[in-house]
Amino acid sequence: MSQSHEFDTAPSPEEAERLVKRMSTGANLADQSISSKDDKVLKIATFSLQKYLKEPEFAAEFLERGGLESLCDIISKVGGNTLAYALNSFTSLMAHDLCWKSLSEDIVATVAHIVVIETLVTILRPATAILHRIVSAEVLPSATMPHPVVGYSAIYPILQQESKLLELLIQRLQSPDYVLCLNSLTLLTSMLKHVTDDHRSELLDAIHQSNAKKNVLRLMDNHPSDELKEQVLEFQSALIHNADRRRKTQISIYNPRHAKMLNDIWEVAGVEDVPFLGAKKWRKLGFSSEVPHREFGRVGVFGLERMHTFAMENKDLFAKMILEQIHRPDGRRCPLAKASIEVTDLLCSFWNISAGYMATTFEPLLFQLDHVHATTFQLFFRLFQDMEATTTDFPKVSALVRSQLRATLKSDGVQDIYEFDRTMLTTPYTVIRDRRLKELEWADDLLGREAIRNLRGRLNRQSYDFIKRQRINCLLQGAWFPCPQHPQRTLTMSNTGSIHPTAPNPGSNGSIGPSLTLSSSTSTAHKRWRYYKLSPSKKSLQYGDFSDKYPLVITSYSELPNKIDLAHVTEIKGTGRKTSSVAPTSFLETSAALSFGLFSADHTLLADFICTSSAQASEWKDGFSMLLDKGITSKDTAEYLHSLTEIGVKVKLLQIAGDRIEVPHGHLDPPPVPAGLGSGFYYGYG
């Protein structure tokens, strides 16, 4: 006799798992005589799975029995609330980072298709969250998983198949449903963060041509919640980091996209048949030579894109400006191509467009960078005419533009792009000039000059090397940490008020033993402290376990018999563990943010650290990170690096001021090409 599943309450975990696997075969779904009944059973089962799969033990067993394949099969066959429950169950599995090995390209395509065709927010929320987890996952290839379906490469083919996916995500930034709006923005941000160089321009062009930036600006204006505000700032940071990547990407005439942009600019100028003494082609547009791609060294592809956008969106104006300069006397022409590059460099400098950019406040004008560039470029052209400048006055014009740009962007009255245009384009030259004369060069303008930026970069590298040596010396000296095997290592409070250790107890045979109970006999049976110390070769980490923290510093490596080969460490990340005080009666917990671990490629925890202070956490975590050339990870160390750099810059400036040395403005032009070397000669960027 077949078993009936008429549940008045939620099924047990075993029943839920069994029902999901039975229903995923599809046979019952096709049988109309029992379809209604089975739909009800499946809905209850998937609803219950949402809760059960939040438990790590159940989730691991579910995957071991092939539950993920069954769940994916159900997702591709059902709809309505059952689909919503199944997708929520899938997100619960992903929270444990257990399902990557079984994840296929087909399920990614299925979920993406659901995001495109479904309209119920209860379905769209988890489906969008799943795509975000896939794009943002950082799973290294291994023997059991040679080609993990994660990262931007997992979603790029889907974007080609589902042409409306990106457009719909951008539209949902204006969704009245808060969670759907947040999930859509989070997915877009993840795509910007993880896009590969091969597809970066394509994604950014798609975002630029859509309403993404306008919709994010609307979110800024609507006083978003703290969670949404944080995500908007993440999106802003991701945009700047992508701009920095393009700024550092040099132009190649062999790149079809780069060559096309240069050709578009030339065609819009329309001066092919206009005679120009000493110029064949590119000098007519204001380049210094006939090799234009070499002149974008400071701004890279990012600078070419800004010039291309201005030319294509202002074709008549651009052609008029070029023609007007060609007909001016030699020495009185404004080199427009060079001016566009200079303006881009000024904007990058003002907004600190670099890999270290981290958004802390909304910058609405950053989302309209092409418009800001166009307005500033026209200001440069106007000031060049108003001051009757010569080509040798180019740095002076740049200084005036920098002054006006800084004053405008820092003005409280400039809240939108229209006020920015009005202030930049209508302020008389005399006002800009007078302000420039009143500026305190050493306190304000000096720090913006290229020579000082180069100085800051050099001092930043020196400060980084100094901190790296200091942090590694901390590792060489060693320090005490709570022993991972001790029952007081990690403790959690149960609902009844009793105390249970969360760490497993290694049995005498090395296997995982039964749960520990806190008792005085247990406290004395285990060694409570571990001393870690970096080996002199800096290739391994030595440690030993002790009952007491004595002596304060262990100098002999012979007392530390255990070793961890640092060559096996591939990741350093927080473990989220908390520890109680050593005294069993106080239970004063330190912050979980002070704990971190060293992990191998297969995510095995090699060493576990719970620090006693943020200072120790930054010294040890960044010590390992810098030793393994993974950079800086903590805010304390980053602030320390910034402070050292700024102090160094100020000390150098005091020396320069005392010697009355003039610091040059802007970018220094190379000397003229020596006679007789031909038009192909150029100076390289050192």
Side-chain angles (χ1 to χ4, degrees), residues 178 222-230:
Y178 171 79
N222 291 337
H223 307 288
S225 65
D226 289 343
E227 187 179 19
L228 186 56
K229 177 182 177 181
E230 181 180 353

Side-chain angles (χ1 to χ4, degrees), residues 352-388:
N352 187 29
I353 295 180
S354 65
Y357 177 88
M358 182 176 295
T360 55
T361 57
F362 291 156
E363 296 276 5
L365 292 180
L366 264 177
F367 289 79
Q368 303 178 71
L369 196 57
D370 283 322
H371 193 138
V372 171
H373 171 271
T375 300
T376 310
F377 179 55
Q378 292 177 69
L379 172 67
F380 196 108
F381 181 75
R382 175 171 69 88
L383 291 180
F384 197 96
Q385 312 301 319
D386 289 349
M387 67 182 291
E388 298 181 353

